[in-house]
Amino acid sequence: MLGFLSARQAGLEDPLRLRRAESTRRVLGLELNKDRDVERIHCSGVNTLDIEPVEGRYMLSGGSDGVIVLYDLENSSRQPYYTCKAVCSVGRSHPDVHKYSVETVQWYPHDTGMFTSSSFDKTLKVWDTNTLQIADVFNFEETVYSHHMSPVATKHCLVAVGTRGPKVQLCDLKSGSCSHILQGHRQEILAVSWSPRYEYILATASADSRAKLWDVRRASGCLITLDQHNGKKSQAAESANTAHNGKVNGLCFTSDGLHLLTVGTDNRMRLWNSSNGENTLVNYGKVYNDSRKGLKFTVSSGCSSEFVFVPYGSTIAVYTIYSGEQITMLKGHYKSVDCCVFQSNFQTSTRSQLNPAFEDAWSSSDEEG
């Protein structure tokens, strides 16, 4: 560390290199924080988490009980032992609470004044953060497994929705209606994710063993159907043009959008080139996956060697993305882990003063929730 600081002071090193090295060191040293806890509100499993990208301070959680909770992750008291408190929640007594399990929650990428949630009750709901009232609701004919808004879109406000049906539905937040449908899968859509690099590129994963990349501007839609054999059909005729030998129930782009990770019920994880759909053939070994629905995993950002964090039974397995090496297993939960999120700027119990430009991103009075 002293060598990095000295080289940076002398102008011999790029400051970014020091930051990436420190981020990598922190990830490699991750362990259960014994001084920090999160207030328990859910009375059953937590299915989904999302940390807002504006400040990295507020976290949403959605549970099997239909409840949505908003947490403040900042330790404003600077106490050594700290419990992250729930700021507010959409509890069972709320008139607009989801009737069944909440499968996905996501902050609106550009403004913490709004967030979205989807549920087994066949709805996607758009919420006003300040009032905890519904701004809009989309109803579907099938159970909703997953939804996602583009983190980089400036020319559209589309929410991709995966349901028990084989069609990917795109809902327009501006018009309040489903704008169009992407057809090509044969079974339910278990996971959807927009590219963090190109606002019109969408990835989908299905129980039909296939993962697809779409350009939503094209009439035909589908750009690439990922093939684990890279077109060499003679190797396995039956599994040709499939991403996994089982359901594909999770996918996640790398932070730069250049690669895509998928996981399947064949206990495999694969890394794909997102521009040409090529299987990079990185070997992660057996990646335990018995989830009957979507598996929500995440990747690091800002490290000199990027990592992927995958729920693995009651633990979280950490792999180096491009080499496939398993670095460690994060232990601390007593039952199956359903989801995880990574926050690159929030790795210690204290934080520096917020940028004043973000201070009024949203506010909440003590009486709310």
Side-chain angles (χ1 to χ4, degrees), residues 61-368:
S61 67
S64 299
D65 51 6
V67 172
I68 300 170
V69 183
L70 193 159
Y71 293 97
D72 185 351
L73 300 178
E74 183 178 71
N75 181 4
S76 56
S77 66
R78 299 296 187 264
Q79 296 297 318
Y81 300 99
Y82 176 67
T83 297
C84 299
K85 296 292 184 180
V87 177
C88 53
S89 65
V90 180
R92 296 308 306 168
S93 61
H94 193 285
D96 296 315
V97 66
H98 283 289
K99 295 179 181 178
Y100 304 124
S101 176
V102 176
E103 292 302 300
T104 309
V105 290
Q106 186 188 4
W107 288 100
Y108 183 63
H110 310 297
D111 181 4
T112 54
M114 186 171 79
F115 67 89
T116 55
S117 63
S118 60
S119 165
F120 277 0
D121 64 9
K122 303 179 182 180
T123 65
L124 165 69
K125 295 183 178 182
V126 183
W127 300 85
D128 182 314
T129 308
N130 295 299
T131 64
L132 282 190
Q133 299 299 313
I134 287 181
D136 206 350
V137 58
F138 296 87
N139 294 286
F140 302 91
E141 296 179 356
E142 304 277 1
T143 297
V144 180
Y145 287 116
S146 176
H147 80 270
H148 193 233
M149 290 178 285
S150 170
V152 295
T154 57
K155 298 178 182 178
H156 72 75
C157 289
L158 298 175
V159 184
V161 182
T163 70
R164 184 171 286 176
K167 300 174 182 178
V168 182
Q169 306 201 48
L170 301 179
C171 300
D172 192 338
L173 294 181
K174 287 185 177 179
S175 67
S177 62
C178 288
S179 59
H180 55 295
I181 291 171
L182 303 176
Q183 300 187 65
H185 284 294
R186 301 173 186 174
Q187 295 183 44
E188 61 260 40
I189 311 299
L190 298 174
V192 294
S193 180
W194 292 95
S195 165
R197 193 177 188 89
Y198 304 108
E199 63 178 292
Y200 292 106
I201 302 301
L202 175 71
T204 59
S206 170
D208 64 7
S209 302
R210 289 172 170 82
K212 293 177 180 285
L213 290 170
W214 311 76
D215 184 336
V216 299
R217 296 169 297 181
R218 293 163 52 112
S220 58
C222 185
L223 285 174
I224 303 168
T225 298
L226 302 181
D227 180 2
Q228 59 183 301
H229 302 297
N230 287 331
K232 298 177 182 178
K233 295 185 179 181
S234 60
Q235 291 185 359
E238 292 184 0
S239 62
N241 218 29
T242 59
H244 289 265
N245 299 323
K247 296 180 181 180
V248 189
N249 62 344
L251 46 77
C252 183
F253 280 96
T254 54
S255 57
D256 58 12
L258 295 177
H259 291 86
L260 175 71
L261 286 151
T262 61
V263 293
T265 56
D266 57 357
N267 293 326
R268 290 289 180 266
M269 180 164 62
R270 295 195 166 94
L271 180 70
W272 311 83
N273 183 317
S274 60
S275 62
N276 60 17
E278 181 182 11
N279 181 1
T280 63
L281 304 177
V282 174
N283 183 12
Y284 299 95
K286 181 180 179 180
V287 180
Y288 178 73
N289 177 4
D290 66 348
S291 176
R292 297 181 179 180
K293 50 186 181 179
L295 185 71
K296 296 176 173 64
F297 63 105
T298 190
V299 296
S300 66
S301 60
C303 299
S304 54
S305 177
E306 299 295 0
F307 304 93
V308 56
F309 304 83
V310 187
Y312 197 109
S314 62
T315 66
I316 300 168
V318 184
Y319 300 88
T320 304
I321 291 179
Y322 300 109
S323 72
E325 179 185 2
Q326 185 182 113
I327 300 299
T328 187
M329 302 285 279
L330 303 179
K331 301 178 181 179
H333 290 284
Y334 298 107
K335 293 187 178 181
S336 294
V337 179
D338 294 321
C339 58
C340 55
V341 289
F342 181 81
Q343 170 51 276
S344 59
N345 298 323
F346 198 18
Q347 299 168 339
T348 60
S349 58
T350 58
R351 299 178 73 241
S352 59
Q353 191 66 31
L354 293 175
N355 186 325
F358 295 145
E359 286 182 352
D360 294 324
W362 77 279
S363 61
S364 178
S365 66
D366 292 338
E367 290 77 25
E368 291 175 356

